[in-house]
């Protein structure tokens, strides 16, 4: 299964990137405790431990890819893949989030 959602926000790609891939920014953005990093190979935890994963690719400030799983995944289930593309537009950024598996 694979789906993509897109939306344009009135902020720069750098602001979105920094909020998503920093512990304090992600916590502030979602309202739930998170640890995050902007380095390839680093792990993250979000939504008070419900979500965890690892950074697969990071191309600041326009793209990142993460493995992703919840506490509901069984050991036999493979990780989901989350790809985030940030495109600078007039007056903001279009964010495209693709989630597969």
């Amino acid at each position: 299964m694979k789906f993509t959602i897109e939306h344009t926000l009135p902020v720069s790609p750098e602001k979105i990137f920094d909020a998503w891939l920093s512990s304090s920014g992600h916590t502030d953005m979602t309202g739930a405790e998170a640890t995050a990093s902007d380095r390839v190979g680093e792990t993250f935890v979000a939504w008070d431990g419900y979500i965890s994963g690892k950074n697969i690719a990071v191309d600041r400030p326009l793209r990142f890819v993460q493995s992703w799983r919840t506490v509901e995944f069984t050991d036999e289930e493979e990780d989901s893949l989350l790809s985030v593309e940030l495109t600078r537009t007039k007056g903001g950024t279009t964010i495209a989030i693709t989630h597969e598996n």
Side-chain angles (χ1 to χ4, degrees), residues 21-87:
L21 296 179
S22 74
S23 297
S24 62
H26 201 100
T27 297
D28 289 347
M29 179 175 63
T30 64
E33 190 66 34
T35 60
S37 169
D38 63 357
R39 295 184 187 154
V40 172
E42 294 285 320
T43 60
F44 69 88
V45 177
W47 287 99
D48 296 324
Y50 180 73
I51 301 166
S52 63
K54 181 169 67 171
N55 292 334
I56 304 300
V58 178
D59 300 313
R60 187 179 201 289
L62 300 177
R63 176 180 174 269
F64 58 92
V65 179
Q66 298 177 318
S67 67
W68 194 95
R69 63 190 301 112
T70 73
V71 297
E72 296 177 31
F73 283 39
T74 66
D75 290 342
E76 293 78 32
E77 293 175 302
E78 68 180 283
D79 291 353
S80 291
L81 194 63
L82 185 75
S83 301
V84 178
E85 303 276 342
L86 303 167
T87 305

